[in-house]
Amino acid sequence: MKIITAKTLGEDQQALVLGIFEENTDNYKSYSKELAQELQDALKEKMFSTKFGEIYSTKMKPFHKIVVIGMGKKEELTIEKVRKLLGKAVTQVKGAKLLSFSTNIVELAASHKKLSEELVGMASAEALLLANYSFSKYLSNDKKEKMKDIELVSLQWTHAPAAFGEGLKKGRVIAETTNFVKDLVNEPAAVVTTSYLEKAAKAVAARHPMINVKVMDMEELQKEGLHALVGVGKGSATPPKLVILEYKGAKSGPFTALVGKGITFDSGGYNLKPTKYIEDMKTDMAGAAAVLGTIKAAAELGLKKNLLGVMPLAENMVSGKAQHPGDIVRAYNGKTIEIGNTDAEGRLVLCDAISYTEANYNPEIIIDLATLTGACVVALGYYAAAIMGKDDSLLEALTKAGIDSGDRVWPLPFFDEYQDWMDGTISDLNNVSMKGKGYEAGSITAGVFLSKFVEKAKWVHVDIAGSAYWSVSGDYVQKGATGSGVRLLMYYLLDQSGK
Ligand code: BES
Ligand code: MN
Ligand code: ZN
């Protein structure tokens, strides 16, 4: 999709999308008397209101379609509402099978004093490109024809172009890498294996001289003692790996490590998942994909920070070589873990990745992203990832990045009372809680387990089990993979590097 800016509303595009605030309902009189009259009538007959998100559609030359979208009260406009409005615009125009549109929504939004022009630019490119995404490669041509991408959007913009243009550029990089992540997550597990993700990581590294990639295979993982990771992956025909991307964007300074759960399929192992729980488990590598995407975006934007992208990759399967419930493994940091449940595999691959990263790279900050618990989906649904940790300033910074980016996070408490809930009986730890009924506070106890593998780094755990894959569509997010984590981390990292 090409995005251009123009001082006036373009008339070369197929559709026109107009915003309207609640405050000024006699809008567009000077633009077109005919349209103003029609709008006035529609408002009077309550076919349309200027409340946020309301849509009115009409036909008028020279456009094939004119869509008017209520923007709600000016004072209540937020950057996320701008994304949603543009997402609605894309959906409307795409739904009418048109290929281009012109809009004044962004121009109107920027007249709102609280929103910086650069942020408006970023959010605009993000919303447009994310909303235009579809995973259609497996559809035959006649079906594909029905959902053609929008090719051109003309944004009315009368202010100075510099900051807005800068924002558009950043937003495009962030959105395109988010869409790259969605492709990886939507692709079936038969395609996206551990070696497929290894190749994807190497391909990203090959395009950017500032990225080095290191891959540890099964043999090396065993030799180095990452037995928790090996245990999860050893039942699969595609062996486990640890992929580490090193991005050197700054001359000096410590690493920020991003660690992503990369289970290419989570059958549950011998604690096999039942029908209704197993079908979407190709998405259990969304954390690793988001980490890869973030490193890619950081490199494309030349971010002045040192980053590590750590991807523990494994497929959790059933076979004669798979681990058993009741097995005890020794993790990289020396702690022993009883496998109380083979389906609690995410924490096993992450704990080794975290302690290996800390011991070998000494990062200042570790952020892990994982589709870790069903309990997180129950607690928060799709519209926020859960965050946990003990470093208040890091939690705060991520919360801010979540609000600005629309890729939201919500804190779960890390109460002292939970700190021994993952202790084992015949081993140091158990991978499932042995206290109470076993399932209480499932997302928190998973986080507590991970915390036992962090020595001195500032650490935060982000559970994206709900936010990474939606069964409903949003305004600029489709059903299916969302690329959750990329925008969150990019906004956080841009904040940290002073933009
Ligand atoms: N990958 C799942 C968590 C998950 C569930 C992600 C639904 C996305 C949607 C994870 O490996 C898992 O199976 N967790 C178990 C943990 C339990 C056995 C302690 C769960 O949540 O049931
Ligand atoms: Mn599982
Ligand atoms: Zn899993």
Side-chain angles (χ1 to χ4, degrees), residues 10-164:
E11 297 206 338
D12 300 334
Q13 286 74 45
Q14 294 181 345
L16 178 65
V17 181
L18 299 169
I20 184 163
F21 281 117
E22 276 185 41
E23 286 86 346
N24 38 349
T25 43
D26 70 339
N27 230 341
Y28 302 120
K29 235 174 228 158
S30 56
Y31 180 73
S32 152
K33 284 217 176 83
E34 196 188 341
L35 174 67
Q37 186 61 49
E38 197 181 329
L39 265 183
Q40 214 173 349
D41 292 346
L43 285 163
K44 205 159 63 193
E45 284 156 34
K46 307 229 180 315
M47 292 160 68
F48 174 61
S49 99
T50 50
K51 289 216 159 45
F52 178 79
E54 291 257 341
I55 290 168
Y56 182 75
S57 174
T58 178
K59 275 185 184 159
M60 249 178 61
K61 278 179 182 165
F63 301 101
H64 298 288
K65 189 182 174 77
I66 298 182
V67 181
V68 185
I69 305 186
M71 295 176 70
K73 291 203 175 73
K74 231 177 208 176
E75 272 308 308
E76 290 172 6
L77 191 71
T78 60
I79 197 67
E80 180 61 0
K81 280 190 175 176
V82 175
R83 288 192 191 90
K84 289 187 174 190
L85 290 165
L86 289 171
K88 284 175 192 290
V90 168
T91 309
Q92 286 294 313
V93 175
K94 226 177 169 176
K97 309 203 180 350
L98 301 173
L99 300 179
S100 62
F101 70 94
S102 173
T103 183
N104 65 350
I105 285 175
V106 176
E107 170 77 8
L108 289 173
S111 65
H112 185 70
K113 58 185 183 304
K114 272 184 284 184
L115 306 176
S116 93
E117 292 184 1
E118 183 176 355
L119 185 59
V120 173
M122 276 173 80
S124 300
E126 286 161 14
L128 292 169
L129 292 157
L130 293 174
N132 207 28
Y133 174 86
S134 58
F135 188 68
S136 55
K137 64 183 279 199
Y138 291 107
L139 292 174
S140 47
N141 281 335
D142 51 330
K143 286 197 173 161
K144 230 188 259 181
E145 283 294 305
K146 287 190 191 140
M147 45 195 296
K148 271 198 185 152
D149 288 354
I150 292 174
E151 289 164 1
L152 176 73
V153 176
S154 176
L155 300 174
Q156 189 187 17
W157 189 258
T158 59
H159 315 267
F164 183 64

Side-chain angles (χ1 to χ4, degrees), residues 143-382:
K143 286 197 173 161
K144 230 188 259 181
E145 283 294 305
K146 287 190 191 140
M147 45 195 296
K148 271 198 185 152
D149 288 354
I150 292 174
E151 289 164 1
L152 176 73
V153 176
S154 176
L155 300 174
Q156 189 187 17
W157 189 258
T158 59
H159 315 267
F164 183 64
E166 219 19 68
L168 281 177
K169 267 192 229 155
K170 279 184 194 160
R172 173 175 288 276
V173 169
I174 292 171
E176 281 173 351
T177 45
T178 306
N179 287 339
F180 159 82
V181 171
K182 290 188 211 172
D183 275 345
L184 287 173
V185 177
N186 281 325
E187 193 72 57
V191 177
V192 177
T193 58
T194 53
S195 56
Y196 184 98
L197 284 174
E198 172 190 353
K199 279 191 205 114
K202 282 181 171 162
V204 168
R207 253 180 289 131
H208 298 284
M210 287 153 93
I211 302 178
N212 278 318
V213 61
K214 171 183 156 163
V215 179
M216 292 166 76
D217 61 12
M218 173 100 141
E219 205 180 317
E220 199 177 348
L221 292 172
Q222 241 149 2
K223 204 180 81 207
E224 289 282 330
L226 287 81
H227 300 298
L229 169 57
V230 169
V232 172
K234 69 183 184 176
S236 168
T238 51
K241 294 173 193 289
L242 184 65
V243 175
I244 301 179
L245 295 156
E246 228 183 287
Y247 170 73
K248 288 263 196 176
K251 288 203 182 68
S252 61
F255 283 113
T256 293
L258 312 173
V259 183
K261 172 177 172 182
I263 300 296
T264 60
F265 188 77
D266 181 11
S267 73
Y270 274 96
N271 292 99
L272 191 64
K273 283 185 184 293
T275 298
K276 296 250 181 282
Y277 292 85
I278 200 168
E279 294 79 4
D280 292 337
M281 283 301 132
K282 66 175 183 182
T283 66
D284 214 17
M285 34 56 76
V291 163
L292 176 57
T294 303
I295 299 289
K296 183 174 189 279
E300 279 170 23
L301 291 176
L303 212 80
K304 291 189 172 48
K305 276 191 82 68
N306 292 329
L307 302 175
L308 291 171
V310 183
M311 303 158 66
L313 306 174
E315 189 185 31
N316 190 22
M317 296 295 271
V318 172
S319 88
K321 290 183 179 168
Q323 77 184 346
H324 320 82
D327 281 357
I328 296 176
V329 295
R330 187 177 295 277
Y332 179 76
N333 74 349
K335 290 187 178 162
T336 56
I337 307 165
E338 183 176 348
I339 311 300
N341 190 321
T342 58
D343 197 13
E345 84 299 335
R347 59 200 77 183
L348 296 169
V349 303
L350 285 170
C351 74
D352 269 352
I354 288 170
S355 46
Y356 183 86
T357 301
E358 192 169 15
N360 292 279
Y361 296 90
N362 192 29
E364 182 192 18
I365 292 171
I366 301 176
I367 302 173
D368 79 74
L369 267 86
T371 47
L372 204 62
T373 60
C376 179
V377 191
V378 174
L380 298 179
Y382 302 133

Side-chain angles (χ1 to χ4, degrees), residues 431-465:
N431 77 332
V432 285
S433 159
M434 292 282 110
K435 295 243 182 170
K437 298 192 168 123
Y439 58 73
E440 300 95 326
S443 302
I444 298 171
T445 53
V448 164
F449 180 91
L450 295 179
S451 74
K452 308 293 175 189
F453 295 85
V454 183
E455 292 286 333
K456 60 183 206 311
K458 294 178 191 165
W459 163 77
V460 64
H461 161 55
V462 187
D463 193 333
I464 59 170

